[in-house]
Amino acid sequence: MVVYIKRKDLKKMVATNEMTAGQLRILKAVATLLENPANKITVQRIAQEIHVTDGAIYRHYKSKDEIFEAIAAYMESNILGPLNVVPKQTDVTAKRLELVFEQHMAFLEGHPGLARLFLGGGSTEATPMAERLKLLSAKVRAQLAQLLKFGEAQGALVSGMTPEQAVEMLYGFLVGTAVCYSFGLPQVPANQKWKVFATACLKEGVVG
């Protein structure tokens, strides 16, 4: 009998209890500011957003670059976290991918400003961000490919579907969703996107 990971347990990966309340408040403010491409992110602008002084920001972070480093770490935890944890919880490829997909969709929905950052928008706000975000995307694709290659070995992919093709489709949904949230475009619900992917790529289709 296979025991599937509970969604409430998976969400523990994205806990922010290592941050102070002040740090989390600052990161949320930056994420909100990033929703508008016209915003130029400065320490002064962040302070205005949360109604504190510039000095209050510097008590938590030494510079704007350090703030963006914290945001990058937060994104890596939430986007790579499911890919690292799910394989330890179930060996059923369809459930692995579904749980990863759900977590990624929830993150993008909850952080439209960071969705834009994931696409590279705003990456020039801090010196190391562009390269770090590029590496994040590469890691996501690589780990999705690893899950799907395991699925191929299990016989979980539909006939004629390669892991590379399935990765392209799944990653395309992630990027497409990020684009929609970044620019406020209409899109179909996440569960419908999953159904399309599962039906096209997985032998068992949508697993209940």
Side-chain angles (χ1 to χ4, degrees):
M1 177 180 175
V2 177
V3 179
Y4 297 134
I5 183 173
K6 296 179 180 179
R7 284 154 179 76
K8 66 178 182 179
D9 294 331
L10 189 61
K11 289 178 181 177
K12 291 178 182 177
M13 295 184 308
V14 300
T16 54
N17 55 3
E18 293 183 359
M19 296 182 188
T20 66
Q23 288 173 329
L24 186 57
R25 190 180 177 198
I26 291 167
L27 298 192
K28 286 181 176 179
V30 175
T32 299
L33 291 170
L34 284 167
E35 292 178 25
N36 183 351
N39 284 328
K40 175 66 177 176
I41 312 298
T42 64
V43 170
Q44 183 180 28
R45 184 68 185 84
I46 297 168
Q48 290 174 349
E49 181 70 17
I50 55 177
H51 308 293
V52 299
T53 65
D54 294 7
I57 303 295
Y58 286 119
R59 281 197 291 272
H60 295 285
Y61 295 104
K62 296 177 182 178
S63 65
K64 188 178 79 170
D65 277 2
E66 190 172 286
I67 292 172
F68 272 87
E69 286 175 8
I71 287 176
Y74 178 73
M75 292 175 66
E76 289 163 356
S77 174
N78 281 268
I79 294 175
L80 294 176
L83 287 161
N84 292 326
V85 171
V86 165
K88 301 173 186 177
Q89 304 299 325
T90 175
D91 60 359
V92 178
T93 293
K95 291 306 298 183
R96 285 179 171 183
L97 293 170
E98 183 182 12
L99 289 168
V100 167
F101 188 81
E102 286 180 349
Q103 290 296 307
H104 284 180
M105 291 295 107
F107 179 76
L108 294 171
E109 179 182 6
H111 305 78
L114 299 189
R116 190 170 74 84
L117 195 59
F118 179 70
L119 296 171
S123 62
T124 57
E125 292 287 353
T127 305
M129 282 299 288
E131 194 60 35
R132 191 162 178 175
L133 293 172
K134 179 180 177 181
L135 182 59
L136 174 59
S137 290
K139 287 180 178 179
V140 170
R141 286 184 66 103
Q143 290 188 239
L144 287 174
Q146 187 174 0
L147 289 179
L148 283 156
K149 286 177 181 176
F150 179 82
E152 181 184 41
Q154 280 188 322
L157 303 187
V158 299
S159 179
M161 177 66 64
T162 68
E164 292 76 19
Q165 290 169 337
V167 167
E168 193 72 20
M169 186 173 182
L170 188 57
Y171 188 76
F173 272 126
L174 298 181
V175 172
T177 299
V179 169
C180 289
Y181 282 124
S182 296
F183 298 103
L185 302 176
Q187 57 181 314
V188 299
N191 65 329
Q192 291 184 24
K193 296 177 185 179
W194 170 254
K195 185 176 181 180
V196 170
F197 171 80
T199 302
C201 299
L202 303 178
K203 189 174 292 184
E204 295 183 19
V206 179
V207 178

